[in-house]
Amino acid sequence: ALTVPDKKVDSVCPYCGVGCQLTYNVKDNKILFVEGRDGPANHERLCVKGRYGFDYAHHPHRLTVPLIRRADAPKSGDFVMDPDRVMDVFREATWEEALALAGGTLSNIRDTHGKKSLAGFGSAKGSNEEAYLFQKLVRTGFGSNNVDHCTRLCHASSVAALLEGIGSGAVSNPVMDVTKAEVVIVIGANPTVNHPVAATWIKNAVKNGTKLVVCDPRRSDLARMSHRYLQFKPDTDVAMLNAMMHVIVHENLVDADFIASRTIGYDELKQNVEGYSPELMAPICGIDADTLRYVARLYATSKGSMILWGMGISQHIHGTDNARCLIALALMTGQIGRPGTGLHPLRGQNNVQGASDAGLIPMMFPDYQRVDNPAVRAKFEAAWNTPLDGTPGLTVVEIMHAIKAGQIRGMYIMGENPAMSDPDANHARESLAALEHLVVQDIFLTETCYLADVILPASAFPEKTGSFTNTDRTVQMGRQAIDPPGQAKQDLWILQELARRLGLDWNYQHVSEVFDEMRHTMPSIGGITWDRLEREHSVTYPCVAEGDPGDPVVFIETFPRDSGRARFVPADIIPADERPDTAYPLVLITGRQLEHWHTGSMTRRTAVLDALEPDPVALVHPLDLAGMGGKPGDVITIESRRGKVTLYARADDSSPRGAIFVPFCYYEAAINKLTNAALDPFGKIPEFKYCAIRVALG
Ligand code: SF4
């Protein structure tokens, strides 16, 4: 018989940054199915993850009781996951015992070794309120700014460039503005896979006459319907973009009024691109000079041109330079500050924008207010009633190095899985294993949990209420649809209980009280009340006063920098940190695939998604595969200077020859064991998109 839901709960999708609104259909505390809702980003559309990726919440692997590491279970960075032998490593504990051990040990480390001996990783999978309380716990309970999250691994370089050039790290225009643009450039992004509903709006725009230019070393699905596809060589973004700017300058396609009235630094940029003619750059980037000229003219002269980018731009040691070039393109042509124009770094996780806004970053208090600004610090000291550290803390990868150096001794990780997601994961695992005390709060026994001393069972997305901010700067309400299993608790409860054991006097009775505190310390969302979110479901910031409708398009008259003007920052070519050589002749590119999300802890425990993509795969150009004597389905071993994995080869000609793409979601072939931890010096983002490898059959 057909099972009929007894409850419908409106919420948002837990996966990517598009932020599709959906409805959970529930019966007997179980989600039966999900429907798309008429939200501003999706208008009832959902992708395969949003529609089918919900049953992880009911998976038997859910953590349902606090766990404490057994005294005789040593930690080792080269552990092998064995779910059947978990209780050899951990024992069950009461909440009181687990919280007392976690809070007591972290307090002891702080009091013995100093405030900078502790660090925390928060989560872009949690709500704004959870992110806010997490960073507040680290800043007021640990006493330092050693707090970060996965933005460091995705768009930190984009944000660094945007803050520097424009004064705001968020997007200028919503995705939906592609339907108003004459020209859309999608560069270093594969929205069909990573932001699928956003891709459908791009496709709609193309059908209505928008000219789409796709620039990417990997030929994405969108490239098939593009007006021009520029398959530039991996790692040559700056060469290609500077060549386009060279054309715009030389053919006087600039918006002189915009440059004169709204920007600074143009002369330096103009001088810098002088040496980047299309003829000189064509052999470097692999795009012929005529095509570079054509696309530059197309972008500069249209009535409205928009740029969307992803981690193909940001995850390089020159990621900030890549983003600087995109910003400069928009500024020199005045393609910003109007509907159907602008700059849109597509956010990866559903709340990476909100977690960053809420201050889960080591150099900023909430709302991007710098920790080393004395006036800002004084404001937060008054709001939180405690002295605060005025020096920026360590970032994700820096924390791993600081553990090895003995500087960081204890950590609290909520909903992140650095044992899978950090670059050079063997090093990251060794670092986590070297901690004196590691507390992990999660819904599954992740690879990072294997290295924990205390594991706190948390709530899954549909088990709690909170606000989430999507890639469009839209704050949306996620609502509780089901109860957590067993003794698992809501994350806000866990945060508050741990805070109390660190000596903090917290007493939030409801999530709305946290949001209310946030909006009084964060001017951008000052006008958004909890009641309004309940009523309207979503409000876009900046929204500085109650009654303010919110601004989907910003920078119309001014930029949020002291001068009100945006700044050009020139960029030069910096090669990847590790180039192919005779020992490691190929290039590794990592990323996501449609059916799985990040480290796979949720989607690989979702029946439909796991059935669609059950095994670890590497996408290899058919000629490269044939060249090594292999065929599709063969087992191959990929090796870099840092590690190796074994997985299945899939013939795929979307990658250029010599470049192999591997998703990072498979624990049995954890590809981040191979990636390079070299950092962009500004955004401190690792170079996930380029390292040298070799491949062998078997
Ligand atoms: Fe969820 Fe993103 Fe898919 Fe929308 S596009 S349903 S937010 S994963």
Side-chain angles (χ1 to χ4, degrees):
L2 191 67
T3 309
V4 179
D6 54 25
K7 188 165 73 166
K8 283 176 174 282
V9 180
D10 291 339
S11 191
V12 291
C13 175
Y15 294 109
C16 88
V18 174
C20 298
Q21 292 192 9
L22 50 73
T23 299
Y24 289 117
N25 288 268
V26 178
K27 183 172 176 58
D28 299 334
N29 204 39
K30 195 160 184 199
I31 301 169
L32 299 179
F33 61 94
V34 166
E35 295 167 296
R37 206 153 58 95
D38 190 16
N42 65 314
H43 296 290
E44 300 186 0
R45 297 179 184 186
L46 293 176
C47 77
V48 67
K49 286 194 286 289
R51 192 167 296 282
Y52 299 110
F54 58 86
D55 51 330
Y56 71 91
H58 305 302
H59 197 280
H61 286 174
R62 281 292 301 273
L63 290 167
T64 57
V65 63
L67 299 173
I68 289 177
R69 188 173 207 89
R70 293 183 183 278
D72 59 354
K75 297 184 197 174
S76 167
D78 62 356
F79 65 86
V80 176
M81 294 272 287
D82 186 351
D84 295 332
R85 302 192 61 186
V86 170
M87 299 322 283
D88 291 353
V89 181
F90 300 99
R91 65 173 175 82
E92 293 187 356
T94 65
W95 270 104
E96 183 51 46
E97 187 187 10
L99 288 165
L101 178 63
T105 313
L106 292 173
S107 300
N108 273 341
I109 292 173
R110 176 195 63 197
D111 298 342
T112 308
H113 299 286
K115 294 175 176 176
K116 292 185 193 288
S117 60
L118 298 176
F121 287 168
S123 177
K125 302 173 193 70
S127 67
N128 289 327
E129 297 75 27
E130 289 161 1
Y132 177 84
L133 283 196
F134 190 94
Q135 60 85 35
K136 185 176 174 183
L137 182 149
V138 171
R139 292 189 156 111
T140 62
F142 291 179
S144 81
N145 293 305
N146 289 337
V147 61
D148 208 353
H149 78 295
C150 68
T151 189
R152 197 65 44 207
L153 308 179
C154 58
H155 265 306
S157 48
S158 306
V159 171
L162 287 163
L163 284 170
E164 168 194 69
I166 282 177
S168 165
V171 301
S172 68
N173 297 59
V175 168
M176 202 62 83
D177 261 25
V178 296
T179 58
K180 299 173 184 157
E182 276 190 11
V183 174
V184 169
I185 293 182
V186 175
I187 179 165
N190 189 351
T192 313
V193 165
N194 297 318
H195 305 85
V197 169
T200 68
W201 300 123
I202 297 171
K203 290 174 186 172
N204 279 17
V206 171
K207 282 182 189 152
N208 288 326
T210 297
K211 289 191 167 71
L212 172 65
V213 177
V214 173
C215 309
D216 205 301
R218 298 188 65 234
R219 193 185 64 250
S220 64
D221 186 50
L222 276 184
R224 284 192 291 129
M225 60 193 312
S226 64
H227 178 68
R228 286 289 185 283
Y229 169 47
L230 277 57
Q231 189 172 31
F232 63 97
K233 294 180 190 171
D235 196 43
T236 63
D237 319 58
V238 169
M240 182 180 70
L241 295 168
N242 273 353
M244 289 185 197
M245 285 192 270
H246 178 102
V247 174
I248 291 167
V249 169
H250 271 248
E251 299 188 8
N252 198 25
L253 304 176
V254 297
D255 185 334
D257 288 345
F258 190 94
I259 292 171
S261 62
R262 306 272 322 258
T263 70
I264 56 173
Y266 177 63
D267 288 344
E268 290 93 317
L269 183 100
K270 185 177 170 188
Q271 197 176 1
N272 189 63
V273 299
E274 189 57 34
Y276 288 87
S277 72
E279 283 70 23
L280 273 177
M281 293 304 107
I284 295 173
C285 67
I287 305 299
D288 65 82
D290 286 347
T291 302
L292 290 169
R293 284 207 159 78
Y294 178 82
V295 172
R297 291 171 189 147
L298 187 73
Y299 175 81
T301 59
S302 95
K303 288 206 186 83
S305 294
M306 188 172 175
I307 303 175
L308 298 100
W309 74 92
M311 273 139 246
I313 283 289
S314 61
Q315 290 178 333
H316 291 275
I317 60 163
H318 49 80
T320 304
D321 281 338
N322 292 349
R324 283 169 173 155
C325 291
L326 298 176
I327 294 164
L329 262 175
L331 294 177
M332 74 196 318
T333 53
Q335 296 285 17
I336 191 165
R338 309 187 308 281
T341 67
L343 298 161
H344 191 117
L346 286 155
R347 306 292 165 155
Q349 301 207 21
N350 85 327
N351 203 35
V352 71
Q353 181 65 60
S356 304
D357 299 341
L360 268 188
I361 38 184
M363 55 293 281
M364 315 275 190
F365 291 126
D367 220 4
Y368 307 95
Q369 301 173 80
R370 286 203 63 94
V371 298
D372 49 8
N373 179 325
V376 166
R377 192 167 73 253
K379 183 177 103 173
F380 278 94
E381 286 177 337
W384 295 342
N385 198 25
T386 190
L388 295 168
D389 183 13
T391 52
L394 299 172
T395 60
V396 166
V397 176
E398 290 172 335
I399 286 170
M400 293 302 170
H401 292 309
I403 296 169
K404 278 288 184 71
Q407 183 187 339
I408 300 288
R409 294 165 179 267
M411 278 193 78
Y412 174 28
I413 299 177
M414 177 181 78
E416 290 271 301
N417 191 6
M420 280 288 287
S421 59
D422 269 27
D424 193 3
N426 283 326
H427 176 270
R429 292 177 185 198
E430 286 165 16
S431 295
L432 293 170
L435 284 166
E436 283 175 33
H437 197 71
L438 173 60
V439 179
V440 181
Q441 178 173 322
D442 216 311
I443 63 172
F444 293 115
L445 196 92
T446 63
E447 293 69 21
T448 301
C449 284
Y450 256 62
L451 298 166
D453 296 277
V454 178
I455 301 172
L456 305 175
S459 45
F461 191 90
E463 294 162 2
K464 55 196 176 185
T465 293
S467 67
F468 295 80
T469 306
N470 75 358
T471 190
D472 292 336
R473 291 182 267 105
T474 303
V475 185
Q476 311 199 94
M477 186 68 95
R479 294 180 178 84
Q480 183 176 0
I482 53 175
D483 296 324
Q487 296 177 39
K489 295 283 191 186
Q490 296 199 340
D491 296 74
L492 280 184
W493 182 90
I494 303 171
L495 276 159
Q496 186 150 268
E497 291 299 319
L498 191 58
R500 287 185 182 141
R501 285 156 181 86
L502 287 160
L504 299 172
D505 182 23
W506 287 8
N507 192 21
Y508 300 98
Q509 298 293 319
H510 188 266
V511 58
S512 61
E513 293 174 20
V514 183
F515 186 81
D516 203 47
E517 181 178 314
M518 290 173 64
R519 77 185 192 89
H520 284 103
T521 60
M522 299 172 62
S524 304
I525 61 165
I528 306 177
T529 64
W530 190 259
D531 284 349
R532 187 174 172 188
L533 276 181
E534 288 273 27
R535 209 171 45 245
E536 298 179 21
H537 307 296
S538 61
V539 183
T540 298
Y541 76 78
C543 178
V544 294
E546 288 185 43
D548 182 345
D551 297 322
V553 179
V554 289
F555 317 139
I556 292 167
E557 288 173 353
T558 186
F559 291 100
R561 299 183 76 246
D562 287 346
S563 63
R565 288 166 175 257
R567 180 181 160 208
F568 287 99
V569 181
D572 284 311
I573 295 172
I574 298 172
D577 180 72
E578 185 184 60
R579 308 283 304 173
D581 54 24
T582 48
Y584 296 89
L586 303 173
V587 172
L588 173 67
I589 301 173
T590 64
R592 288 184 281 166
Q593 59 187 150
L594 172 64
E595 295 79 5
H596 288 304
W597 194 65
H598 287 266
T599 65
S601 57
M602 289 157 63
T603 51
R604 295 199 74 198
R605 293 180 173 95
T606 294
V608 170
L609 301 176
D610 194 48
L612 289 169
E613 284 288 0
D615 296 314
V617 289
L619 276 53
V620 187
H621 194 284
L623 296 177
D624 287 340
L625 191 56
M628 66 177 86
K631 60 183 186 314
D634 278 354
V635 171
I636 59 173
T637 297
I638 306 179
E639 186 174 4
S640 79
R641 289 182 173 83
R642 293 159 291 280
K644 64 180 173 183
V645 296
T646 299
L647 69 183
Y648 296 104
R650 180 176 292 171
D652 181 280
D653 67 357
S654 63
S655 293
R657 291 202 63 182
I660 292 181
F661 177 84
V662 182
F664 66 96
C665 58
Y666 296 101
Y667 67 87
E668 52 294 43
I671 198 64
N672 274 321
K673 290 181 177 180
L674 280 64
T675 50
N676 187 356
L679 298 180
D680 172 298
F682 304 99
K684 306 282 179 74
I685 194 169
E687 192 152 61
F688 287 115
K689 287 290 186 275
Y690 200 103
C691 74
I693 53 166
R694 60 188 173 210
V695 181
L697 286 178

